[in-house]
Amino acid sequence: MADFEIKRGLELAFALTARSASQTDRRIPVPVRANHVQGQRSEVASIFEEFLRQVLFVSNKVDRLPKNWPQPQVLNADARSSDPWKTLIGQGSVVLLSSPPYGAAQKYVRSTSLESAWLGFIDDRGPIGIEQGSIGREHIRAQHRAPNLSSLDGLLVADELRDLRNRSATRADIYDHYYLDMMKVFQNAAALDNMDEVVLVAGTNVVAGTLMETHEHLSEMISSLGFRLVEVFQDEIRGRTLLTRRKGDAQPARAEYVHRFVRQDAATSTIFVK
């Protein structure tokens, strides 16, 4: 195993130690201090011993992988920029699998803030820097509000975003940016001649008290860029640990939808499976 892979494995073990050795409430993904309740606080006696345990855990997981496992290409870049997509040109047929965040429905950045801090990815300001550079952020700064939605003209989501603004300008700002960011990603994918298929995994949101069919909006965006929907699968969400409760009556999504698209000229019939 290369030194780089060993370093990544140790970093993963270190991140796992941050969570397992902390005094956080295990029932809540966002790191908050647990009450003095039996079974809710960490009983780790030694941080170093816990780190060694996590190293062994990660090592055992790696050892169980098939030896002939194909090596993935992992590109750490901003998908909204066209530059990283250029690395895929000339690599034969490309399939894009996208599982985007659902607007602000899940607190991805805050849920991993403890691990990110231990690994040095965030500073004393907290995770705000990472969040402002993310797709599907929780907060929008004043200078970023009410963006130009012209790239969404003609799509149903543009009308829904205008309706949302009448109910909540703050939520509208957040979801304006979410859909604009996702359109940039899809446009970059569609610009590649060798991008033959797109697989989208998405669900629904309850925003300002109203159900938003996020997966349908994203599907329409992809279709508008020269792809044709050929398959849709509905998958019930089981045992997720990100968000189990929300304020008010809003409930977390109970199902996700897997959409498969091909280029418009491909001869394939459409299938819907529940």
Side-chain angles (χ1 to χ4, degrees), residues 5 51 91 98 104 118 140 175 188 192 206 211 221 231 243:
E5 293 173 321
F51 173 65
Q91 295 192 18
S98 175
W118 274 43
I140 294 292
Y175 280 88
N188 288 332
L192 297 180
V206 175
L211 179 67
M221 290 160 61
E231 290 180 292
L243 183 62

Side-chain angles (χ1 to χ4, degrees), residues 53-72:
R53 189 180 74 84
Q54 295 295 347
V55 169
L56 182 61
F57 172 78
V58 172
S59 178
N60 288 336
K61 290 289 187 181
V62 173
D63 286 341
R64 291 171 58 185
L65 292 174
K67 301 306 178 184
N68 58 347
W69 191 267
Q71 291 298 311

Side-chain angles (χ1 to χ4, degrees), residues 79-80 96-108 134-137 175 177-186 198-205 213-219 221-222 237 240 242 253 255-259 261:
R80 294 165 294 190
L96 169 66
L97 175 63
S98 175
S99 181
Y102 303 152
Q106 296 287 5
K107 298 175 176 59
Y108 291 104
S134 302
I135 299 176
R137 66 194 83 171
Y175 280 88
H177 278 279
Y178 169 69
Y179 284 109
L180 288 172
D181 285 345
M182 289 309 303
M183 178 58 89
K184 291 177 183 177
V185 174
F186 294 145
V198 174
V199 179
L200 171 73
V201 182
T204 61
N205 295 67
E213 300 284 359
T214 307
H215 64 103
E216 291 186 359
H217 293 319
L218 296 177
S219 177
M221 290 160 61
I222 296 173
I237 296 177
R240 301 296 173 85
L242 281 174
E256 292 180 313
Y257 298 84
V258 183
H259 300 245
F261 304 82

Side-chain angles (χ1 to χ4, degrees), residues 25-263:
D25 193 324
R26 297 293 184 266
R27 301 166 299 178
I28 305 173
V30 175
V32 295
R33 187 177 295 277
N35 296 323
H36 293 270
V37 178
Q38 181 80 22
Q40 291 302 319
R41 292 177 63 88
S42 171
E43 300 298 333
V44 174
S46 166
I47 301 297
F48 185 67
E49 288 179 2
E50 176 62 15
F51 173 65
L52 293 179
R53 189 180 74 84
Q54 295 295 347
V55 169
L56 182 61
F57 172 78
V58 172
S59 178
N60 288 336
K61 290 289 187 181
V62 173
D63 286 341
R64 291 171 58 185
L65 292 174
K67 301 306 178 184
N68 58 347
W69 191 267
Q71 291 298 311
Q73 179 183 354
V74 179
L75 185 62
N76 183 16
D78 188 343
R80 294 165 294 190
S81 170
S82 60
D83 290 338
W85 293 87
K86 296 174 183 177
T87 63
L88 300 176
I89 297 175
Q91 295 192 18
S93 178
V94 175
V95 176
L96 169 66
L97 175 63
S98 175
S99 181
Y102 303 152
Q106 296 287 5
K107 298 175 176 59
Y108 291 104
V109 174
R110 280 204 286 158
S111 294
T112 58
S113 59
L114 183 63
E115 295 87 337
S116 297
W118 274 43
L119 291 171
F121 294 136
I122 61 178
D123 54 27
D124 292 341
R125 299 178 303 161
I128 187 66
I130 296 178
E131 183 188 352
Q132 292 303 314
S134 302
I135 299 176
R137 66 194 83 171
E138 288 185 72
H139 311 94
I140 294 292
R141 292 180 175 177
Q143 64 267 33
H144 297 152
R145 292 176 181 168
N148 187 337
L149 299 179
S150 59
S151 64
L152 302 178
D153 285 348
L155 301 177
L156 293 177
V157 68
D159 294 332
E160 181 153 3
L161 290 173
R162 282 189 283 269
D163 291 341
L164 174 59
R165 186 161 294 279
N166 293 329
R167 302 195 306 275
S168 171
T170 299
R171 304 304 287 176
D173 289 333
I174 290 173
Y175 280 88
D176 285 351
H177 278 279
Y178 169 69
Y179 284 109
L180 288 172
D181 285 345
M182 289 309 303
M183 178 58 89
K184 291 177 183 177
V185 174
F186 294 145
Q187 287 172 334
N188 288 332
L192 297 180
D193 292 337
N194 55 333
M195 181 65 70
D196 295 330
E197 297 187 34
V198 174
V199 179
L200 171 73
V201 182
T204 61
N205 295 67
V206 175
V207 186
T210 301
L211 179 67
M212 178 180 288
E213 300 284 359
T214 307
H215 64 103
E216 291 186 359
H217 293 319
L218 296 177
S219 177
E220 184 187 21
M221 290 160 61
I222 296 173
S223 297
S224 73
L225 297 172
F227 289 88
R228 182 161 56 87
L229 179 64
V230 294
E231 290 180 292
V232 182
F233 298 90
Q234 180 177 320
D235 179 39
E236 182 182 351
I237 296 177
R238 304 174 182 84
R240 301 296 173 85
T241 58
L242 281 174
L243 183 62
T244 57
R245 297 183 63 185
R246 296 181 185 168
K247 292 181 180 179
D249 296 329
Q251 297 297 318
R254 298 301 181 190
E256 292 180 313
Y257 298 84
V258 183
H259 300 245
R260 176 172 167 261
F261 304 82
V262 298
R263 288 283 183 184

